[in-house]
Amino acid sequence: MIKVGVLGAGHLGKIHLRLLQQSEKYELVGFYDPNQENAEKVAKEFGYTKFDTIAKLIHAVDVVDIVTPTLSHYKCAKVAIKSGKHVFLEKPISNTVEEAEEIIALAKAYNVKGQVGHVERFNPAFKSVKNAIENPMFIETHRLAEFNPRGTDVPVVLDLMIHDIDAILSVVKSKVKNIHASGVSVISDTPDIANARIEFENGCVANLTSSRISLKNMRKSRFFQKDAYISVDFLEKKCEVVKMKDAPEVPGDFDMILQNAEGVKKQIYFDNPDVESNNAILDELETFADAIVNNTTPIVTLEDGTEALRVAYAIIEAMKIK
């Protein structure tokens, strides 16, 4: 079992601590949180070992799970990597693209592995259709959340939209060509609602909408490609794959047939895969353990996290151009 320690015992940090303690691939050594009062409360309530300094925790483990505020990701990762430890970083990878690039360089120099916590890659609905998404040419995403003061210190693009940015970049095998965006600050100092249009070099267009002041929660993505439409509901963990093929000579009574103006007939059929239930956070942590043990590439690399951050900041910049 791989020895792991957690930096940060806030809302998400406590979830990581609980799952790592349950995991059969990790041995949870303990955690460090700079808020002494919170650290003592968490240690007392759950029985986790509390470390007095970051250095002591890092020294005692093989993997450092960084679940601190984004501003401190770079500083924590730098210390851990220079100590020869593998790092798991919650999303976004860091506060700036420059910091992210330095984390990549350090990981290579010290020969350690890193993974970024873009958890939607492990959402069972997305996992079940990812292989069916072959060459999407139009993508539409909606990620709407009810208001929560936690997270309003950063733009909605870095808080919510970055999930969809990473998912899109994982299926569109082309470079970003152009970005248009607009955003509105309603109750925060930074945009609470944002819309972005990403154009790729291969012609694919992605239209992303995110809001953190909605009346209801929604996390849906739709992928359109030749002869197929794929929808993913990340919140309900459901998916739908609608495909088209040449219509049979003699259609059955229940076959759905479309005919275009040229007389070409196509049959519509559903090819919905099974969605296996899982805990996405536990999955992402355990696949990282597998990558370390087997010396393979993590599913969400430091480079992936950096590219998602780069596009997110390009969207934020595009909002300022009016």
Side-chain angles (χ1 to χ4, degrees):
M1 290 173 78
I2 299 170
K3 290 182 177 179
V4 64
V6 177
L7 295 183
H11 172 73
L12 193 54
K14 282 190 277 196
I15 294 171
H16 278 230
L17 283 163
R18 175 173 57 82
L19 293 171
L20 288 167
Q21 191 170 48
Q22 291 173 10
S23 173
E24 294 178 1
K25 300 192 178 188
Y26 287 104
E27 177 193 333
L28 177 62
V29 174
F31 75 98
Y32 170 80
D33 191 286
N35 183 326
Q36 202 60 31
E37 191 182 334
N38 181 58
E40 283 176 9
K41 186 183 171 190
V42 170
K44 190 176 178 182
E45 189 175 343
F46 301 102
Y48 308 131
T49 302
K50 173 178 73 74
F51 281 76
D52 298 329
T53 67
I54 289 178
K56 283 180 183 174
L57 175 68
I58 289 172
H59 181 70
V61 301
D62 306 309
V63 175
V64 181
D65 181 10
I66 300 168
V67 203
T68 59
T70 307
L71 281 170
S72 62
H73 281 192
Y74 167 70
K75 187 179 164 188
C76 294
K78 191 175 176 181
V79 176
I81 293 168
K82 284 190 169 183
S83 302
K85 311 298 180 177
H86 305 290
V87 291
F88 183 96
L89 285 146
E90 242 326 307
K91 69 88 196 160
I93 180 172
S94 58
N95 192 44
T96 68
V97 173
E98 291 73 27
E99 286 178 353
E101 287 174 339
E102 194 171 331
I103 290 170
I104 292 170
L106 282 168
K108 284 178 180 170
Y110 286 86
N111 196 27
V112 298
K113 293 191 184 295
Q115 181 164 315
V116 184
H118 283 287
V119 71
E120 292 291 39
R121 292 262 210 116
F122 299 84
N123 186 296
F126 184 64
K127 279 174 70 178
S128 66
V129 297
K130 192 168 186 284
N131 289 339
I133 304 171
E134 288 169 349
N135 188 27
M137 294 312 289
F138 179 66
I139 301 168
E140 194 165 35
T141 73
H142 288 87
R143 186 168 291 262
L144 316 177
E146 295 172 9
F147 180 72
N148 182 346
R150 199 170 54 83
T152 52
D153 53 331
V154 295
V156 70
V157 175
L158 292 174
D159 183 28
L160 297 178
M161 190 183 280
I162 197 164
H163 283 295
D164 297 313
I165 293 168
D166 173 70
I168 288 167
L169 293 177
S170 76
V171 296
V172 179
K173 303 305 178 191
S174 179
K175 288 183 179 176
V176 173
K177 177 182 167 186
N178 217 342
I179 290 174
H180 301 278
S182 59
V184 183
S185 301
V186 181
I187 51 176
S188 312
D189 294 332
T190 58
D192 298 302
I193 300 174
N195 176 261
R197 177 186 166 95
I198 304 173
E199 297 170 6
F200 293 88
E201 288 180 357
N202 69 348
C204 176
V205 171
N207 192 12
L208 300 83
T209 302
S210 289
S211 166
R212 58 183 173 207
I213 52 166
S214 292
L215 296 175
K216 63 174 184 176
N217 292 324
M218 179 194 286
R219 290 189 244 148
K220 289 184 177 177
S221 294
R222 298 187 293 165
F223 303 85
F224 298 85
Q225 60 195 40
K226 185 171 171 57
D227 293 337
Y229 156 76
I230 298 154
S231 71
V232 180
D233 188 327
F234 289 93
L235 193 61
E236 297 294 330
K237 297 178 174 55
K238 294 176 181 173
C239 60
E240 188 174 69
V241 179
V242 182
K243 289 187 174 179
M244 297 183 76
K245 62 182 179 184
D246 292 335
E249 289 289 324
V250 184
D253 292 343
F254 299 103
D255 287 349
M256 295 172 69
I257 308 295
L258 287 182
Q259 183 174 333
N260 66 13
E262 287 76 37
V264 177
K265 293 181 180 179
K266 293 278 186 180
Q267 179 185 350
I268 300 172
Y269 67 102
F270 295 87
D271 185 18
N272 297 342
D274 292 330
V275 177
E276 294 181 17
S277 64
N278 72 336
N279 184 307
I281 296 176
L282 181 61
D283 253 22
E284 66 178 355
L285 290 165
E286 291 198 333
T287 59
F288 185 47
D290 292 340
I292 293 165
V293 171
N294 302 321
N295 194 25
T296 53
T297 304
I299 290 173
V300 185
T301 63
L302 298 174
E303 288 81 1
D304 291 341
T306 302
E307 202 51 39
L309 187 66
R310 196 188 314 277
V311 172
Y313 272 119
I315 288 169
I316 292 167
E317 279 304 308
M319 285 182 194
K320 298 174 185 175
I321 303 166
K322 290 286 174 270

